[in-house]
Amino acid sequence: MSAAFADTVRSEWTKFRTIPANVPTLLSAVALMVGAGALTANGAAENYRAGHALFDATYISMYGGFLFAQITVGALGVLVVTHEYATGLIRTSTTVVPRRGRLFAAKVATYGLIALAMGWVSSFGAYTLGQTVIAAGGAPAASFADPGVLRAVVGMGLIWALVGLVGVALGILLRATMAATTVLVAVNFIIPVIGPRLLPDAVGAWVTTYWPISAGLQITTTVQDPGRVEPWTGLGVMAAFTVVLLVAAFAVFRSRDT
């Protein structure tokens, strides 16, 4: 990492932590994932004896909280960018760092690393508490010695980072907090969660299997559903989608006036 790029990353980190709401918002996302994950785990444990063809204790402990925490993570990625446009700070940033490629890369690297780190805190926290709750409810808890468990928990942190970067890309593309957040919610929640129930069966099945966030979350499973993509393939789909958005965002960021 060059000294100039390191300085730009340090500047982006300073911007992030000096906005009063950013850190508390990120911590609330962690608390939401861990807390809601525990509630989901408790419900799953109570229903275990009713019969589940695919009881994935690792996935159960993380997914329930992530479903809602991801909106906060993505929206904060949006705000990392749109706050600068709203306040006019983006003009200062591009004046101080006229090489827009470096500035863009610093924004992506800074928030990507923040989301990744907090994603791992969340995933390990949700997993640990969730397994305790599941075991207490009489259902089979998972262990890191079990196949795929460590991959699933680490993978959840990767998903956090990708969701955060989708937010950054949408913020650059749309430059408006409300518009970008609305698109984010549609892409990561409404379409994959609600859409399959409203769409024709064939379309709904495709969305459930191949929509980026749906495919990506397969990395957090340890019990493979034969109708879904493999874990690493799914993560690749989500990563490719994120890269496409970031490339489009960079093209716009480089060519558009601030």
Side-chain angles (χ1 to χ4, degrees), residues 41 61 70 76 91 99 107 118 122 151 168 171 180 182 194 210 236:
S61 65
Q70 64 162 327
L76 198 53
R91 297 186 186 89
R99 295 182 61 179
K107 288 183 182 296
M118 299 312 293
S122 298
R151 179 259 299 156
V168 171
T182 299
I194 301 174
Y210 297 109

Side-chain angles (χ1 to χ4, degrees), residues 200-227:
D201 290 345
V203 179
W206 185 91
V207 169
T208 298
T209 304
Y210 297 109
W211 193 256
I213 188 66
S214 301
L217 281 170
Q218 291 305 296
I219 195 69
T220 68
T221 64
T222 62
V223 180
Q224 179 65 36
D225 183 337

Side-chain angles (χ1 to χ4, degrees), residues 96-119:
V96 174
V97 186
R99 295 182 61 179
R100 294 201 179 187
R102 178 188 298 166
L103 181 59
F104 178 86
K107 288 183 182 296
V108 169
T110 301
Y111 191 63
L113 288 173
I114 290 170
L116 178 64
M118 299 312 293

Side-chain angles (χ1 to χ4, degrees), residues 25-34 62 65-67 69-70 72-74 111-112 114-123 154-166 213 217 238:
T25 298
L26 199 55
L27 292 177
S28 72
V30 174
L32 179 61
M33 179 162 165
V34 175
M62 297 188 293
F66 172 78
L67 191 62
Q70 64 162 327
T72 302
V73 176
Y111 191 63
I114 290 170
L116 178 64
M118 299 312 293
W120 279 336
V121 170
S122 298
S123 63
V154 171
M156 179 57 84
L158 298 176
I159 294 294
W160 264 56
L162 292 174
V163 169
L165 293 180
V166 167
I213 188 66
L217 281 170
M238 178 65 179

Side-chain angles (χ1 to χ4, degrees), residues 70 183-193 196 199 203-218 228-229 233-235 237-238 241:
Q70 64 162 327
V183 173
L184 176 80
V185 172
V187 168
N188 279 0
F189 185 85
I190 295 176
I191 293 175
V193 177
L199 296 168
V203 179
W206 185 91
V207 169
T208 298
T209 304
Y210 297 109
W211 193 256
I213 188 66
S214 301
L217 281 170
Q218 291 305 296
R228 307 292 289 273
V229 297
T233 301
L235 183 66
V237 170
M238 178 65 179
F241 172 73

